[in-house]
């Protein structure tokens, strides 16, 4: 069998394909004539490679729509986890009386790094882990995972910053309130990519040892400890930088009454709630609303019914008579219900048709994700874990489709990973930072999600898959793990490092001149946005040309 012939049965790759893929990954093209891979049935091979590539790209895009759809449930569950508080009883030393207070279980900074950053990076992390498991027994590591994670880091740093900088209203400024924590997170983010370069080119070139993989994973724990020490201002371990006006809660409370069109389904990741408080109005995305005075509920999807008052809700469910199964049942009812657009005052027939088409595309995902338990159970943990399981399932399909696209088109897998996979799997990151920019009075969570996601991409997303592969190779063969196209990956790291310095310099310049990293005068916000997008294009083009062997 030649290197250009790849044989695969269904969605299971045999040993021959694994050997060919590992030992000829440096090749820039795969014959698109003899490719016999298929996704569902063998008859796909008779459709023609061009048409098959088109179908597989459509399938990839539909998987990314699924990731967008599960994002709504994922964020509601994450919010339920973060807002969980416990009762603390203390003795007042002056009066000797008991003082009862509510204390948040999750620390603000730790929630940003673990739940927000790791959670939104889970598509990339699970994709890389699945790719590693599929390569067990091979001496060469798969390139799909590392390529996606490095490409995702670039997408996080440039396009997501570009979006967040223009999200605030014209003239509105949102700055990082805790510069100390951000600098710690930024340091570990930069060090992650320097560390990866050291592994690939300096310490053990083109080889990953068991100890290198283990040290990579352990450094995520060091990031958590260092960030927590900075947040608590521990002596000798923290920078002497004061914190300014950071909100007490990770998800800020709003004194607001909620108005919502009941016909709008909560499955859309772009659902918009109109929140009115006297003369003020705000646009809120996905996150539920709280009120210090006591929330006012009007059948707003995603509201924590367990915290609602005892009176009957204005919607469909009475808290006194409700049971979690009724809430779960309502999820399926909503999933099978087509949203009405009559109340949206849409006179444009094209826009109406576009909405109907979009709802039709979302329908299968909405029905599937209705199986995710309500976030009212166990403070949202069950829904949080189930959401991650669904994300892992989608990531598995994405890896299979990517293999097929590489097979029928001959496009280098790294190129697909840097571009399509990185952008699609980073969608939850973009949504998270956009929401944090809108919902929070500061830029801490929005920017922390970017820097911490990049750290998680290396320490967890690359570290765990490499640890799995190196441990298996060490036990089974006493051999280290070799890296395909390490030179191309190292070059991408250098390009990313150089362009990321350009990004950080602009953020610092905006802080010095405008007083904030995000927002500001509309013209300068858009100029910054365009600049960040240009940096991303430079990274994508140069990295793709290098791994393809053109430069």
């Amino acid at each position: 069998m030649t290197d250009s012939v790849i044989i695969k049965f269904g969605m299971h790759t045999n040993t021959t394909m694994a050997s060919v893929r590992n030992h000829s990954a440096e090749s820039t093209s795969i014959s698109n004539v003899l490719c016999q891979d298929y996704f569902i049935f063998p008859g796909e091979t008779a459709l023609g490679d061009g048409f098959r590539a088109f179908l597989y790209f459509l399938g990839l895009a539909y998987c990314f729509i699924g990731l967008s759809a599960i994002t709504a449930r994922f964020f509601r569950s994450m919010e339920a986890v973060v807002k969980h508080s416990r009762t603390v009883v203390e003795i007042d030393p002056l009066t000797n009386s008991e003082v009862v207070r509510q204390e948040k279980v999750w620390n603000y900074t730790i929630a940003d790094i673990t739940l927000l950053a790791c959670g939104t990076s889970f598509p990339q992390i699970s994709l890389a882990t699945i790719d590693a498991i599929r390569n067990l027994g091979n001496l060469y590591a798969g390139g799909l995972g590392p390529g996606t994670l490095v490409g995702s880091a670039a997408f996080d740093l440039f396009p997501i910053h570009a979006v967040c900088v223009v999200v605030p209203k014209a003239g509105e400024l949102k700055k990082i309130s805790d510069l100390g924590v951000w600098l710690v997170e930024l340091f570990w983010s930069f060090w992650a990519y320097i560390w990866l370069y050291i592994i690939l080119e300096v310490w053990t070139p083109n080889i990953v040892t068991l100890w290198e993989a283990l040290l990579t994973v352990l450094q995520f724990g060091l990031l958590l400890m260092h960030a927590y020490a900075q947040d608590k201002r521990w002596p000798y371990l923290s920078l002497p930088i004061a914190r300014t006006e950071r909100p007490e809660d990770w998800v800020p409370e709003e004194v607001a009454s909620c108005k919502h069109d009941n016909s709008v389904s909560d499955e859309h990741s772009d659902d918009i709630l109109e929140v009115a408080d006297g003369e003020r109005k705000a646009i809120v995305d996905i996150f539920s609303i709280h009120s210090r005075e006591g929330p006012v509920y009007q059948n707003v999807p995603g509201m924590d019914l367990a915290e609602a008052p005892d009176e009957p809700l204005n919607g469909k469910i009475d808290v006194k008579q409700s049971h979690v199964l009724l809430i779960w049942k309502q999820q399926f009812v909503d999933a099978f219900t087509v949203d009405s657009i009559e109340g949206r005052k849409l006179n444009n027939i094209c826009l109406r048709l576009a909405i109907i088409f979009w709802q039709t595309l979302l329908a299968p995902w909405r029905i599937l994700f209705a199986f995710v338990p309500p976030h009212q159970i166990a403070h949202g943990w069950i829904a949080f874990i189930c959401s991650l399981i669904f994300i892992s399932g989608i990531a598995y399909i994405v890896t299979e489709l990517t293999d097929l696209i590489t097979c029928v088109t001959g496009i280098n897998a790294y190129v697909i990973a840097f571009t399509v996979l990185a952008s699609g799997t980073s969608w939850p990151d973009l949504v998270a930072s956009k929401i944090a920019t809108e919902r929070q009075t500061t830029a801490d969570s929005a920017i922390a999600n970017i820097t911490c996601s990049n750290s998680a991409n290396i320490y967890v997303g690359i570290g765990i898959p490499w640890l799995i592969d190196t441990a298996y190779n060490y036990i089974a063969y006493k051999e280290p793990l070799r890296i395909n196209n390490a030179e191309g990956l190292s070059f991408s790291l250098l390009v990313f490092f150089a362009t990321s310095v350009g990004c950080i310099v602009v953020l610092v310049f905006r802080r010095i001149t405008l007083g904030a990293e995000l927002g500001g005068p509309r013209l300068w916000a858009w100029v910054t946005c365009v600049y960040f997008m240009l940096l991303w294009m430079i990274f994508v083009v140069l990295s793709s040309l290098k791994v393809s062997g053109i430069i």
Side-chain angles (χ1 to χ4, degrees), residues 229-270:
Q230 180 64 43
D231 183 79
K232 295 299 183 181
R233 297 302 190 272
W234 288 356
Y236 308 111
L237 295 177
S238 61
L239 300 172
I241 301 177
R243 177 188 299 137
T244 61
E245 76 266 353
R246 188 184 74 178
E248 291 297 325
D249 294 329
W250 185 76
V251 181
E253 296 183 351
E254 303 237 358
V255 182
S257 60
C258 303
K259 291 192 268 184
H260 185 72
D261 183 355
N262 293 341
S263 65
V264 180
S265 169
D266 65 340
E267 298 298 324
H268 297 288
S269 63
D270 59 347

Side-chain angles (χ1 to χ4, degrees), residues 440-460:
Q440 301 227 348
T441 57
T442 68
D444 291 73
S445 290
I447 294 181
N449 176 51
I450 296 171
T451 53
C452 294
S453 291
N454 286 353
S455 297
N457 283 346
I458 299 300
Y459 300 133
V460 181

Side-chain angles (χ1 to χ4, degrees), residues 13 188 217 270 434 439 458 477:
T13 308
W188 283 100
V217 176
D270 59 347
K434 174 180 176 292
R439 289 281 282 125
I458 299 300
Y477 310 116

Side-chain angles (χ1 to χ4, degrees), residues 29 110 120 124 171 193 196 227 245 273 356 375 397 455 504:
S29 64
I110 299 301
T120 54
Q124 303 96 290
Y193 292 89
L196 186 57
E245 76 266 353
L273 309 180
I356 293 173
H375 65 270
I397 297 175
S455 297
I504 300 302

Side-chain angles (χ1 to χ4, degrees), residues 117-131 145 148-149 392 395 425 453 456-462 464-465:
C118 284
T120 54
S121 294
F122 198 75
Q124 303 96 290
I125 294 172
S126 58
L127 186 150
T129 304
I130 291 169
D131 190 45
T148 301
L149 289 161
S392 296
T425 57
S453 291
N457 283 346
I458 299 300
Y459 300 133
V460 181
I462 291 182
I464 289 180

Side-chain angles (χ1 to χ4, degrees), residues 230-513:
Q230 180 64 43
D231 183 79
K232 295 299 183 181
R233 297 302 190 272
W234 288 356
Y236 308 111
L237 295 177
S238 61
L239 300 172
I241 301 177
R243 177 188 299 137
T244 61
E245 76 266 353
R246 188 184 74 178
E248 291 297 325
D249 294 329
W250 185 76
V251 181
E253 296 183 351
E254 303 237 358
V255 182
S257 60
C258 303
K259 291 192 268 184
H260 185 72
D261 183 355
N262 293 341
S263 65
V264 180
S265 169
D266 65 340
E267 298 298 324
H268 297 288
S269 63
D270 59 347
D271 279 349
I272 295 178
L273 309 180
E274 194 175 74
V275 182
D277 181 20
E279 297 295 324
R280 297 182 299 121
K281 287 188 177 181
I283 298 299
V284 183
D285 212 351
I286 294 178
F287 283 116
S288 58
I289 311 302
H290 310 282
S291 170
R292 293 183 178 88
E293 306 298 327
V296 180
Y297 296 81
Q298 294 186 356
N299 192 33
V300 179
M303 291 298 179
D304 195 340
L305 299 177
E307 295 188 355
D310 287 338
E311 305 85 53
L313 297 180
N314 294 331
K316 304 174 183 177
I317 302 176
D318 186 334
V319 174
K320 287 184 176 180
Q321 301 175 358
S322 67
H323 185 273
V324 67
L325 292 179
L326 295 179
I327 304 174
W328 206 341
K329 175 185 175 182
Q330 188 60 43
Q331 289 184 181
F332 284 94
V333 172
D334 292 339
F336 280 97
T337 302
V338 178
D339 298 342
S340 172
I341 60 176
E342 295 300 325
R344 301 191 184 186
K345 299 179 181 179
L346 298 178
N347 298 321
N348 191 319
I349 185 64
C350 294
L351 189 55
R352 284 173 173 266
L353 292 175
I355 292 176
I356 293 173
F357 176 72
W358 179 249
Q359 291 181 7
T360 303
L361 282 179
L362 280 177
W365 292 121
R366 294 171 60 183
I367 295 170
L368 178 63
F369 298 148
F371 286 95
V372 176
H375 65 270
Q376 289 85 356
I377 304 174
H379 304 293
W381 275 111
I382 297 179
F384 184 84
I385 294 172
C386 288
S387 297
L388 295 184
I389 292 173
F390 274 108
I391 290 173
S392 296
I394 297 174
Y396 175 74
I397 297 175
V398 166
T399 59
E400 294 294 333
L401 289 172
T402 304
D403 277 347
L404 288 167
I405 292 171
T406 301
C407 180
V408 300
T409 64
I411 299 175
N412 189 291
Y414 272 105
V415 175
I416 299 176
F418 285 142
T419 54
V420 180
L421 294 188
S423 303
T425 57
S426 295
W427 185 255
D429 283 314
L430 188 148
V431 174
S433 290
K434 174 180 176 292
I435 293 169
T437 304
E438 292 174 338
R439 289 281 282 125
Q440 301 227 348
T441 57
T442 68
D444 291 73
S445 290
I447 294 181
N449 176 51
I450 296 171
T451 53
C452 294
S453 291
N454 286 353
S455 297
N457 283 346
I458 299 300
Y459 300 133
V460 181
I462 291 182
I464 289 180
W466 279 358
L467 185 60
I468 293 172
D469 280 343
T470 54
Y472 184 90
N473 285 359
Y474 179 80
I475 295 172
Y477 310 116
K478 303 297 182 183
E479 290 283 344
L481 182 68
R482 294 176 174 82
I483 305 298
N484 278 322
N485 206 345
E487 182 183 356
L489 188 60
S490 300
F491 178 82
S492 298
L493 290 173
L494 292 176
V495 175
F496 172 76
F497 192 85
T499 50
S500 62
V501 169
C503 174
I504 300 302
V505 167
V506 168
L507 290 178
V508 172
F509 179 76
R510 286 177 55 86
R511 179 65 177 247
I512 294 174
T513 57

